[in-house]
Amino acid sequence: KNQVEQSPQSLIILEGKNCTLQCNYTVSPFSNLRWYKQDTGRGPVSLTIMTFSENTKSNGRYTATLDADTKQSSLHITASQLSDSASYICVVSREGYKLSFGAGTTVTVRA
Amino acid sequence: DAGITQSPRYKITETGRQVTLMCHQTWSHSYMFWYRQDLGHGLRLIYYSAAADITDKGEVPDGYVVSRSKTENFPLTLESATRSQTSVYFCASMRGTGELFFGEGSRLTVL
């Protein structure tokens, strides 16, 4: 069973609207949680990385939150743009290089 | 240019043939990784390397071989390709902060 579950699997939103992606994990011990953006046909690119003590981190219109007690994270996209169409991957680190990947949420932004 | 590059980007081969996917990074990061990405699955670790001449198996190593004679190169070899190895392969390197940098991927089709 995957230790990192993402929801929804996919979503479609209109340009300019906001959306929130969810990530639940059971990985233990926990070191940090990362969100990556993967454009079609490209490699994943880092958006945010949060340690146990961080509750929120922003990168432009992307804001990630972390609740280490409930083992949940969310990625909020504000005022979506067409270029936000991509797959968003949640990655949880146990220690160092030991990473667990979610299957990703595919976001499609329509004009 | 600095970064991580993979070659070839696209490869079609036949069952039983040997295939080598190349990965080169210009940062001198110690850790390097090979992942495969399949529909419905998160990225799965095939092999990783902590330094030159130090490699170890990941989650799905069967049918793959790696070597790392130089810090900057981390080739992945499929000794006798099978249809189940049709996938997109990503090489990555890890900075000291834990941030992961991915290549653009190598799409392999085994007929």
Side-chain angles (χ1 to χ4, degrees), chain B:
Chain B
D1 290 341
I4 184 163
T5 55
Q6 294 183 231
S7 63
R9 291 292 314 278
Y10 304 91
K11 176 76 176 178
I12 299 174
T13 191
E14 294 177 336
T15 302
R17 294 209 181 249
Q18 183 179 80
V19 176
T20 296
L21 307 179
M22 304 301 293
C23 178
H24 176 80
Q25 55 123 342
T26 59
W27 294 297
S28 298
H29 292 162
S30 295
Y31 275 91
M32 294 188 74
F33 307 84
W34 274 106
Y35 295 94
R36 60 179 290 173
Q37 188 175 42
D38 305 289
L39 266 175
H41 291 275
L43 286 150
R44 292 183 290 174
L45 181 64
I46 304 170
Y47 269 94
Y48 69 94
S49 169
D53 296 322
I54 300 175
T55 62
D56 207 348
K57 296 178 181 179
E59 182 185 353
V60 289
D62 293 343
Y64 304 95
V65 174
V66 293
S67 62
R68 195 168 176 204
S69 57
K70 293 183 178 180
T71 300
E72 61 267 29
N73 297 323
F74 190 38
L76 175 74
T77 298
L78 289 67
E79 294 189 301
S80 179
T82 65
R83 289 200 181 99
S84 65
Q85 292 177 310
T86 292
S87 186
V88 182
Y89 292 85
F90 286 98
C91 179
S93 69
M94 182 178 280
R95 194 158 67 180
T97 57
E99 187 176 2
L100 207 56
F101 295 88
F102 287 89
E104 296 288 38
S106 294
R107 183 176 293 274
L108 176 68
T109 301
V110 183
L111 302 176

Side-chain angles (χ1 to χ4, degrees), chain A residues 53-65:
Chain A
S53 59
E54 294 175 297
N55 298 119
T56 184
K57 185 161 274 190
S58 292
N59 179 355
R61 295 179 295 100
Y62 300 102
T63 299
T65 63

